[in-house]
Amino acid sequence: MASSDEFNRRRREEIDSLLHVESGRTNWELETQCKRHTKELLQALNYRANNLLSEKDDELLNARRRNVELQANIRRVQAEVYAWKSIADAGRAVAQNLQKTVQEAEARQKRNNGDDDNVALTESGVGSGETSVGSSDHSVDPRLACMVCVAREACMILMPCRHMCCCRPCAIAVKHCPICGTHNCHGLLVNME
């Protein structure tokens, strides 16, 4: 029996030794796998972080490019605003000049109407032979004459070109401005009285 107990004891010792060796190997394999898994996980995280940094760098570069484009657009729009402001100022100057021209034409018309009211008396020229004859047909100033018939004074502003170059009957008849050739849509009567 002693030999059977001895045999069982040795067997247990061998089994314990074998279990101890297997347990050590299993622990070593688990640690190795855990280290390898941790390393792979860190590499994957590092790769993902590098990709995110690269994407953010690209976004930052695109934002800087867009900023440069927007600044160029701002400068272009400012130049356009300045150009339109210059055009508006020029338009105001043209309008003021046109208003001044209309006022001068009105003043001339009033003077011409005053001259027509004063009919000159005829003088029998004894020895002189000169006579002063009153005339209801007064000559039109060439600067104010209608550019179509040249017989009447221009009193219509043609639209859209805004040239004051025709009398009322001619403005109705003409289809194109005699100065610039623009299609005549309609005319505005400048009242000289």
Side-chain angles (χ1 to χ4, degrees):
M1 222 168 128
S3 66
S4 157
D5 284 338
E6 176 89 15
F7 177 74
N8 284 338
R9 187 181 57 79
R10 276 188 193 164
R11 199 173 208 181
R12 266 185 253 146
E13 285 177 3
E14 286 176 5
I15 290 174
D16 285 344
S17 173
L18 185 62
L19 285 174
H20 182 67
V21 169
E22 284 297 321
S23 175
R25 193 177 339 163
T26 304
N27 285 340
W28 179 80
E29 285 178 1
L30 285 173
E31 285 177 15
T32 305
Q33 285 179 357
C34 186
K35 286 179 184 177
R36 188 173 63 237
H37 181 69
T38 303
K39 184 178 177 183
E40 289 172 357
L41 183 62
L42 287 174
Q43 286 175 344
L45 289 174
N46 190 25
Y47 178 76
R48 180 70 181 139
N50 286 337
N51 284 344
L52 286 174
L53 284 174
S54 177
E55 289 174 7
K56 294 301 176 186
D57 286 343
D58 290 344
E59 288 176 12
L60 182 62
L61 184 63
N62 288 336
R64 286 182 180 155
R65 270 193 223 127
R66 183 70 181 142
N67 189 24
V68 168
E69 290 172 2
L70 289 174
Q71 287 176 353
N73 285 343
I74 287 171
R75 284 191 296 273
R76 184 182 51 80
V77 167
Q78 286 174 338
E80 287 179 8
V81 166
Y82 179 76
W84 281 111
K85 186 178 179 207
S86 298
I87 290 170
D89 290 343
R92 270 190 231 105
V94 167
Q96 289 172 350
N97 192 16
L98 185 58
Q99 186 177 12
K100 183 180 175 185
T101 304
V102 167
Q103 288 171 351
E104 289 172 358
E106 286 176 351
R108 275 189 232 117
Q109 181 71 24
K110 286 179 183 177
R111 279 196 307 265
N112 288 343
N113 286 342
D115 289 345
D116 287 344
D117 291 341
N118 299 329
V119 177
L121 298 174
T122 59
E123 228 179 80
S124 59
V126 177
S128 69
E130 291 183 16
T131 59
S132 171
V133 179
S135 172
S136 62
D137 295 336
H138 69 324
S139 63
V140 177
D141 183 356
R143 293 177 295 160
L144 299 174
C146 171
M147 294 186 78
V148 178
C149 69
V150 193
R152 291 178 288 274
E153 197 169 301
C155 63
M156 295 292 288
I157 297 176
L158 300 180
M159 295 306 261
C161 66
R162 297 185 297 240
H163 287 126
M164 188 166 120
C165 57
C166 294
C167 62
R168 190 172 192 172
C170 292
I172 294 169
V174 296
K175 299 294 181 204
H176 297 281
C177 173
I179 294 176
C180 66
T182 303
H183 180 71
N184 178 18
C185 293
H186 62 280
L188 297 175
L189 175 64
V190 177
N191 190 357
M192 299 292 192
E193 296 173 1

